[in-house]
Amino acid sequence: MDFVSLKVKYLPPYIYRIFWSFDQSVRVEKINEPDLNDAPKIFATWHGRQYCFLRLDPREKLNILISKSNDGEIVTRVMQRLGFSVIRGSASRGGMSAARQMLEVLNNGGNIAFTVDGPRGPIYEVKTGIIKLAQMSSAPIIPVIPATNMRLIISNSWDKYNLPLWFSDIKYFFGTPFYVDKDLSDDNIEEARKKLNNEMNKLTYLADKEVDSLKY
């Protein structure tokens, strides 16, 4: 068995225990969470703040898009142990299949978790994929930005990953549900993308300011 296979086989149980213990230790407050009952939703956050997926309820309805890489296989096994559903694919590998699966999930009442500037950036720049998914499904996009002043920022990563510490107080800031009309032209899709980008940047500023401002 080669090194990659060993990682995929043996790392997930240990990473799961780390995630589980972190999840048990933190305290989460949700600000302006929309009440849409059981309607399907597309939760949108930045790649560097995807730790917020741990507390997007109900966990069993949340489907997370994970790449088809070897590292993605490790993450997949961890997320499944934590009770999430997983869709495999990315813009470069399995993109069309992943899009069809996400649309099917939403049409069947499930929720999607989407890192809108992933998988490789640029940081804080919404890609058009989430706009097209919302257009095809009629599901609202729910921006959510988590923030805490008890964190490490991995400054040499492209996404400036925020790593909250154990026993953190974390606030989840939710934006207004963002709907995309089915009949939008390509130009209007780009306009919608920019509008969502602006809304998420404003929400990020407010979230960081509330917890004593992050410095990039």
Side-chain angles (χ1 to χ4, degrees):
M1 186 176 291
D2 60 23
F3 178 68
V4 172
S5 299
L6 287 171
K7 281 201 312 180
V8 170
K9 182 176 181 179
Y10 291 109
L11 275 182
Y14 294 100
I15 298 173
Y16 162 75
R17 291 187 184 99
I18 292 170
F19 273 69
W20 183 89
S21 65
F22 165 79
D23 188 37
Q24 296 299 305
S25 74
V26 298
R27 295 169 294 276
V28 171
E29 178 185 358
K30 296 182 179 181
I31 311 296
N32 296 326
E33 183 177 16
D35 182 9
L36 298 177
N37 300 316
D38 293 327
K41 310 168 199 59
I42 307 169
F43 291 102
T45 195
W46 303 124
H47 195 273
R49 308 213 188 186
Q50 57 188 291
Y51 66 84
C52 71
F53 294 163
L54 285 171
R55 293 290 182 89
L56 294 179
D57 302 317
R59 185 175 290 186
E60 62 272 13
K61 284 185 64 176
L62 191 64
N63 293 257
I64 300 176
L65 181 65
I66 299 175
S67 75
K68 289 188 173 182
S69 64
N70 290 321
D71 287 345
E73 179 61 27
I74 294 172
V75 175
T76 292
R77 297 187 184 196
V78 173
M79 293 297 103
Q80 288 174 335
R81 282 173 175 262
L82 288 166
F84 295 99
S85 297
V86 170
I87 295 172
R88 302 298 302 276
S90 65
S92 57
R93 300 178 67 184
M96 289 302 297
S97 173
R100 286 194 294 269
Q101 289 180 69
M102 287 189 288
L103 187 58
E104 183 178 355
V105 163
L106 291 167
N107 288 339
N108 289 325
N111 300 327
I112 297 292
F114 213 113
T115 53
V116 294
D117 56 345
R120 297 178 182 174
I123 189 172
Y124 305 145
E125 184 172 308
V126 174
K127 305 292 181 61
T128 57
I130 192 170
I131 301 297
K132 291 180 179 179
L133 181 62
Q135 181 188 34
M136 290 186 292
S137 66
S138 298
I141 299 169
I142 310 296
V144 54
I145 304 295
T148 177
N149 58 7
M150 293 178 61
R151 79 282 181 190
L152 298 175
I153 300 176
I154 304 176
S155 57
N156 63 349
S157 64
W158 72 263
D159 58 358
K160 301 293 186 290
Y161 198 90
N162 280 228
L163 194 63
L165 303 179
W166 269 252
F167 304 101
S168 301
D169 290 314
I170 303 173
K171 291 188 176 183
Y172 282 32
F173 293 81
F174 290 84
T176 303
F178 188 96
Y179 291 87
V180 179
D181 194 295
K182 277 186 175 291
D183 298 324
L184 285 188
S185 66
D186 288 345
D187 287 342
N188 287 333
I189 285 176
E190 173 60 13
E191 184 179 334
R193 186 200 68 78
K194 290 179 179 178
K195 184 176 180 181
L196 177 62
N197 213 137
N198 289 336
E199 291 300 316
M200 291 190 65
N201 282 331
K202 289 177 185 177
L203 192 62
T204 303
Y205 174 79
L206 292 173
D208 290 347
K209 185 178 180 181
E210 179 76 14
V211 296
D212 197 23
S213 293
L214 300 179
K215 304 296 184 182
Y216 300 111

